[in-house]
Amino acid sequence: MIFDKKLLDIVACPVCKGALTYEKQAQQLICKFDKLVYPINDGIPVLLENQAQAWMPKETNS
């Protein structure tokens, strides 16, 4: 099942209530402020703090 990006307009990080970023390839939502990643299972975001994992941004070589 595919995640509907329209949901990004209404979902928020359960910790800080901030905006989430969708990462299509990994099927996850990222809170860059709290550095947390929330999984998307069968097109449904799992926005539970105890299900979140630490997010480590990918470094780019400039």
Side-chain angles (χ1 to χ4, degrees), residues 9-60:
D9 293 336
I10 59 173
V11 298
C13 174
V15 177
C16 72
K17 311 300 185 247
L20 296 168
T21 303
Y22 176 51
E23 189 175 277
K24 184 177 181 177
Q25 189 160 359
Q27 285 297 294
Q28 59 190 15
L29 296 174
I30 301 168
C31 175
K32 293 181 179 179
F33 181 78
D34 290 316
K35 294 186 175 35
L36 293 173
V37 175
Y38 297 94
I40 298 173
N41 296 333
D42 296 323
I44 301 169
V46 182
L47 297 175
L48 301 170
E49 186 177 356
N50 65 349
Q51 296 291 312
Q53 296 182 343
W55 175 63
M56 299 229 228
K58 296 175 183 163
E59 293 185 29
T60 58

